[in-house]
């Protein structure tokens, strides 16, 4: 019995004190509309369309944070991150998340052209944008990632990608043709692969959300991405389900 009693107290002797539990983190959410929550239809009073249904807010709800600075802004480019958002980072920032790059290559304009133009128009602007992705965007991303890691050297920096926007197959009256949808998804893959390569090369944590959104893009029975909407700026952005069911699980799966 003495041996049993001695073994029974081992968990008490070696259990971690409360102070050794996961420390609260200083979290800063950077990026564009896919981080700010444009598309979720519930926003603050700023022009940045930040909302409580955006994945950074949802992550904070279930994690211990010492501070949370939400500076992602709809329409942001890498220049905007460098000039207006990186200043929010501190030496004690522990976590940074970001989506960026789509606006630098005019993805919104490409979608607009594909929505109203011909298949040839769509293919032409898609090819131009892909050339920008391959030849210009890597340098912009490298500069942005370097500025982030310099400003927050102790932080885990998580770069989240973009989903493919469309399902193929039937999509109802007035929808973008399947040919154009396929072309736009191909462009999304070029963009996604470029972001993944640059984030990984920079030593950052990359989170690819493309597979997570599969089956729930525009034209799905249960879409997590808006189609053409009013107001128009919410079109082709993740809705509340896209953030709670797509982005949040992807982020949580990567970092807890």
């Amino acid at each position: 019995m003495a041996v049993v009693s001695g073994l029974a107290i081992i968990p008490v002797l070696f259990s971690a004190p409360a102070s050794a539990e996961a420390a609260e983190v200083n979290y800063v959410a950077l990026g564009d509309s896919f981080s700010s929550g444009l598309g979720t239809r519930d926003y603050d009073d700023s022009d940045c369309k930040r909302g409580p249904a955006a994945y950074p807010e949802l992550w904070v709800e279930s994690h211990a944070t010492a501070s949370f600075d939400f500076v992602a802004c709809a329409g942001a480019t890498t220049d905007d991150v460098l000039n207006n958002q990186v200043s929010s980072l501190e030496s004690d920032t522990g976590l940074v998340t970001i989506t960026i790059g789509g606006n630098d290559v005019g993805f919104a304009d490409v979608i607009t052209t594909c929505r109203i133009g011909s298949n040839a128009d769509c293919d032409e602007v898609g090819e131009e944008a892909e050339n920008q992705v391959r030849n210009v965007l890597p340098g912009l991303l490298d500069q942005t990632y370097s500025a982030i890691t310099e400003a927050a050297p102790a932080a885990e920096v998580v770069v989240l990608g973009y989903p493919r926007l469309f399902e193929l197959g039937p999509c109802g009256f007035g929808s973008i043709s399947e040919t154009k949808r396929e072309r736009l998804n191909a462009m999304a893959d070029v963009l996604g692969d470029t972001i993944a390569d640059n984030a990984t090369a920079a030593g950052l944590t990359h989170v690819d959300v493309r597979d997570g959104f599969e089956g729930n893009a525009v034209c799905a029975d249960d879409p997590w991405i808006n189609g053409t909407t009013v107001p128009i700026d919410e079109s082709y952005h993740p809705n509340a389900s896209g953030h709670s069911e797509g982005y949040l699980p992807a982020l949580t799966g990567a970092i807890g």
Side-chain angles (χ1 to χ4, degrees):
M1 293 298 293
V3 173
V4 173
S5 297
L7 292 175
I9 65 171
I10 289 177
V12 176
L13 293 175
F14 289 94
S15 61
S19 60
E21 295 177 356
E24 294 184 348
V25 66
N26 294 305
Y27 172 27
V28 181
L30 311 176
D32 55 22
S33 55
F34 278 68
S35 290
S36 73
L38 176 62
T40 62
R41 308 219 160 189
D42 184 10
Y43 313 114
D44 61 17
D45 294 331
S46 75
D47 293 333
C48 286
K49 299 295 180 71
R50 302 184 191 102
Y55 77 81
E57 292 275 13
L58 299 178
W59 191 87
V60 167
E61 287 179 5
S62 58
H63 292 78
T65 54
S67 65
F68 174 49
D69 203 354
F70 192 11
V71 296
C73 191
T77 63
T78 52
D79 276 347
D80 294 313
V81 172
L82 292 170
N83 295 326
N84 304 318
Q85 298 184 19
V86 167
S87 58
S88 298
L89 303 176
E90 304 282 352
S91 59
D92 64 349
T93 299
L95 173 64
V96 178
T97 60
I98 185 170
T99 57
I100 202 67
N103 293 320
D104 288 272
V105 297
F107 203 11
D109 292 336
V110 173
I111 295 172
T112 299
T113 298
C114 289
R115 183 77 179 83
I116 64 177
S118 66
N119 288 345
D121 293 334
C122 182
D123 191 57
E124 181 179 354
V125 296
E127 185 174 352
E128 291 172 356
E130 286 177 354
N131 288 334
Q132 288 286 103
V133 171
R134 294 187 178 102
N135 300 320
V136 178
L137 187 60
L140 300 177
L141 294 177
D142 289 347
Q143 183 180 13
T144 304
Y145 299 156
S146 294
I148 292 171
T149 55
E150 182 177 349
E156 178 172 11
V157 181
V158 182
V159 178
L160 297 99
Y162 302 99
R164 300 181 189 95
L165 296 180
F166 300 95
E167 302 296 332
L168 302 182
C171 194
F173 178 77
S175 63
I176 296 179
S177 72
E178 185 170 25
T179 298
K180 294 176 182 177
R181 282 180 273 146
E182 190 170 15
R183 183 67 185 86
L184 287 163
N185 282 352
M187 179 185 165
D189 280 334
V190 174
L191 178 61
D193 291 345
T194 298
I195 291 171
D197 290 346
N198 280 262
T200 302
L204 310 182
T205 301
H206 176 257
V207 178
D208 195 328
V209 301
R210 285 175 285 184
D211 288 347
F213 274 81
E214 186 174 354
N216 294 99
V218 177
C219 301
D221 291 336
D222 179 23
W224 295 350
I225 301 173
N226 298 324
T228 303
T229 64
V230 177
I232 195 67
D233 62 349
E234 295 183 333
S235 301
Y236 308 110
H237 282 79
N239 56 29
S241 294
H243 283 266
S244 64
E245 303 296 330
Y247 271 102
L248 179 64
L251 176 60
T252 302
I255 65 171

